[in-house]
Each structure stands twice: as structure tokens, then as C-alpha cells.
Amino acid sequence: MPDLRGVRLKGKRYWYVRRLSPKVAAAVGKSNLAFNLHTSNVAIAAQRAAIARAKADRIIEEAKRGPPGHFKIAESLVDSDADITTWLETLESQHGFEYAYQVGEVALGGKTPIESLVERRLAMGDLTQATAKELETTVGHFRSLTGAVFVEYVDRDIANAFVVEALGSGRWSRSTIRKFVIKLGALWNHSFKTTGQPAVNPWRGIQVKAPESERRAPTPEELQTLLEHAQEPLRAAIRILAMTGLRVGELRSSRLSEGFLEIPSGKTPNARRSVPVHECIEADVNYWIANKVSPSQLTKLFRGLREDLELEPSVTLHGLRKYCYAALLEVEPRVHLVNRIIGHALPPLMKTYSGSVSRRALREVIDKLPPVPNGRVRQSLLGHDR
């Protein structure tokens, strides 16, 4: 039996949900942890839940390290004549060597716990309760993902590592992680203005970039598989993109006129164009025109299907544009006609001598394309008809 502890079905997707104790919830800033498993297949959900469960365990373990009360005491003992050896030995017996060592770093080494920056900032009293909570939660995320304890040890490498770990966790969007970086940078700036330390802000100039990933054309077998399992309107969109080379945004804004998809505008000046509709997708185009969805919704549907089918992440909707471009080059040697259909810019010399292109010439090129698979007989992952 698959281990489905904590697995919940929300809509069409399974999630892993972990309820937190009041103490841990206060440290994390959430009453529970929820991880989208991005699948509707129960077997796949069980596998991904094991990974999510391990992530939750790490987060909870970090949160249980305890309040910074001992660090406050240690800060008060810096440069004092007090004998703190016995106190540190007691902490070691109660909380372990690592914890006692960290407290000793404050008392004996003059290090500044990261939590102290938060306390000093909140002591100013000019933050709303919501903003103060967001700041505490952000610092908690930073410590949880990097293990950083002291301000003096945080450099650009650790700041970049935090961004990489946050992106890789899948818990937050890029815009949310950018907000984390901004909050942490502002916290470091405030500390410098009030205490003169740290002299260097490691968060200045830190970029939150999406991990680079290949977006390739699907193989014929992958395209066949996608179409066999896709439901409308995703199925219609896949077939249209594969036979026209449109971008996803262009598909949304396109309109049908006398057998051509008219693209009013787009990513580049060359995006404004007319693309002939191959006879094999006429029904798909009519369906799409009457049942359009947004690019973001279409992308979400495609991502869910790809994950259910366990295809590589490099298979994307944009890859269908590459699929069409490669297919056009195989049947049409006149590159300027292919580029006019795809919406690519022409080299200056080719643009000068190619002149205007008739709609009839574009139609002849599209008609040379071999039809994509129909994909109307669709089977679910469990083997029964949808």
C-alpha cells in the first residue's frame, strides 16, 4: 500500500499537508505546511509526498531549535567579567554541543545572532503588525534554508544560496522570493544605519532568476501521447500550435478570417502577420475561437498533463512552435516564407530581395505540412475512457 499520510485531494491535484504545533506554527508563520504534488495520479502522489514529508521534517526541526532567549543573555555578557563556562556546559547538556557553541560565539566571540537584527528593527515601533510578522517569517525562512545563525557569517555566497534553495523548494514564486530579498536587504541596511554593522550588505544586487531550462520541440511520440490524453481546450490548442507555430500569447489574441489566423500584435514587430489554417486543424480552430482560455490557464493545464504523463520538463507549449518551425523547414526550402509564417525577422539582404509575400504563397507552404496526430481517442492514466 502506498504511504498516503498527509496526502489530500484538492480539486484535481493531490497535496501534502502537515499541521504544525502552536510553537512551530509561531516560528514558521503558518498553521500548516502545504506542498502541491502536481499530479492527479495517486501512485505518483505517494512518491512525491515522501519528498514533501522530508522537507516538512527539516522545516519543523529548524523551528524547534528554540527561542533566542539564551542568545539575549549571551549578548548581555559580552565584555563582562562573568564566568560563563558553567552556564555553557549546562546548555550543552540540555541542548547539545552545537547549540551551546552558538551561544558561546555570541558571549565570547561577539557574534550577532540574526534574530537580534529583527528585534532591533521591531523595537523602533514604526512597523505595522502585519509587516513585522512578514519580516520575522522571512528571517525564519532564511535560517531554515541556509542554516545561517550569525550576521557576520552572511556573505553574498550565502545570500545567493538562499535564493537558489528557495527557488528549488517550489514553495514560493519568484516574485515572493524577490520580496524576501528586499526585506532582508532593508533589514541589513537598518542595522548599518543604527549600529554601523555589518559594513557590507550582502543582499545588494542579488538577482532572483528562474533556473535555466531547455525548451525543446516534442518528439512525434511525445506529441502523440499528449494529444491522446489531453482534454479540450488544451487538445485543440496543442494541435493549432503544432501546425501554425504561434506563440501561446498570439493564440489567445488571434482571430479567424477567411481561412487565416490574423495576429494583430505580439512579442516583436514581425509578430503581426497572417497564418494559414491547415485543413487538418479547421475544427480545432473553430472550437478554440469559441472556447479561448488565458495563456496562464493554458500553460497550467499543459504542465499538469505533462507531469501526469511523467514527460520531461523541457517539453513545453513553446516547444510546439519549434516543432512547427522544424517541420516547415523540412517541406519548404524558401526560408523567407517560413520566417514570414513563424514571425521571425528576415536578414536585411533577404528582406530586400524577397519582396512582398502573397497569402497564396503562404497557403501553399502550410498545405505541404503533414497533419499532426488527431488524438481524439483519449485514455486516462488508469486505462479507462475519459
Side-chain angles (χ1 to χ4, degrees), residues 145 160 206 310 372:
L145 292 177
N160 278 312
I206 294 295
E310 298 185 343
V372 293

Side-chain angles (χ1 to χ4, degrees), residues 148-162:
V149 178
F150 304 115
V151 175
E152 290 78 6
Y153 294 158
V154 179
D155 55 15
R156 290 188 64 83
D157 288 339
I158 291 181
N160 278 312
F162 168 69

Side-chain angles (χ1 to χ4, degrees), residues 325-358:
Y325 188 59
L328 286 169
L329 291 176
E330 288 186 3
V331 299
E332 178 53 64
R334 294 170 292 179
V335 178
H336 70 281
L337 294 180
V338 174
N339 283 4
R340 189 61 61 91
I341 292 173
I342 292 295
H344 284 170
L346 297 175
L349 186 62
M350 183 179 292
K351 187 175 182 179
T352 300
Y353 287 98
S354 63
S356 61
V357 176
S358 68

Side-chain angles (χ1 to χ4, degrees), residues 116-149:
S116 295
L117 298 189
V118 181
E119 293 171 5
R120 295 169 189 170
R121 183 67 187 91
L122 299 183
M124 298 295 293
D126 58 344
L127 299 181
T128 65
Q129 185 175 358
T131 302
K133 187 64 178 178
E134 288 176 358
L135 181 59
E136 291 177 321
T137 302
T138 298
V139 171
H141 293 326
F142 171 65
R143 281 205 56 186
S144 174
L145 292 177
T146 64
V149 178

Side-chain angles (χ1 to χ4, degrees), residues 298-313:
L298 196 62
T299 301
K300 184 177 180 180
L301 291 172
F302 185 86
R303 186 186 300 120
L305 176 63
R306 180 187 65 202
E307 292 175 349
D308 284 347
L309 297 173
E310 298 185 343
L311 297 179
E312 295 179 358

Side-chain angles (χ1 to χ4, degrees), residues 2 10 23 33 63 83 95 114 217 222 236 252 300 331 382:
K10 295 184 179 181
K23 179 181 178 180
L33 297 174
D83 182 7
H95 302 282
I114 294 174
E222 289 170 335
R252 179 68 176 84
K300 184 177 180 180
V331 299
L382 299 179

Side-chain angles (χ1 to χ4, degrees), residues 22-40:
K23 179 181 178 180
V24 174
V28 176
K30 296 181 179 180
S31 60
N32 58 62
L33 297 174
F35 299 90
N36 189 345
L37 302 181
H38 298 290
T39 184
S40 58

Side-chain angles (χ1 to χ4, degrees), residues 205-221:
I206 294 295
Q207 300 293 316
V208 182
K209 298 180 179 179
E212 294 185 1
S213 60
E214 177 191 9
R215 295 192 296 179
R216 61 174 176 83
T219 65
E221 294 76 14

